Amino acid sequence: NPFAGAAGGANPFGGAGGANPFGGGAGGPGMADAMKAAQQAMSNPKVRAVIEKAQKNPKVMQAVQECMGNPMAMSKYMSDPEVGPILKELQDAMM
């Protein structure tokens, strides 16, 4: 299998840092922007309150983390009765 193996091995899309053409690893520019955005968001008391609420439910927290890394994932959670209202609240707090 050409896509299996250890980091930096035969897999052109996995592994360490710069190996991924669709965005950097830990040190890549996309990650730095995401971290900066997350830090800015957490400085907002409304956002922090929503995150604290989300942390009480592991399922919600996992969804929030996934959506922070991939905003497109939000659409799959919005209809979830547990997760949807928290994501909506988070969206409103960030506006």
Side-chain angles (χ1 to χ4, degrees):
N1 181 352
F3 299 112
N11 183 349
F13 302 117
N20 184 346
F22 299 110
M31 190 57 132
D33 291 344
M35 290 300 287
K36 187 176 176 187
Q39 286 172 339
Q40 284 177 331
M42 289 305 285
S43 68
N44 178 336
K46 288 184 195 171
V47 172
R48 202 168 33 237
V50 176
I51 295 291
E52 285 172 14
K53 191 188 301 185
Q55 287 174 331
K56 294 176 182 157
N57 182 332
K59 176 184 174 186
V60 173
M61 197 59 209
Q62 183 195 347
V64 167
Q65 288 173 333
E66 183 179 343
C67 293
M68 287 175 113
N70 175 14
M72 297 303 286
M74 231 178 229
S75 60
K76 81 178 183 184
Y77 291 110
M78 284 310 232
S79 60
D80 185 301
E82 247 180 312
V83 180
I86 298 276
L87 289 179
K88 177 83 176 92
E89 207 176 325
L90 190 58
Q91 266 185 323
D92 292 346
M94 293 175 94
M95 297 297 171

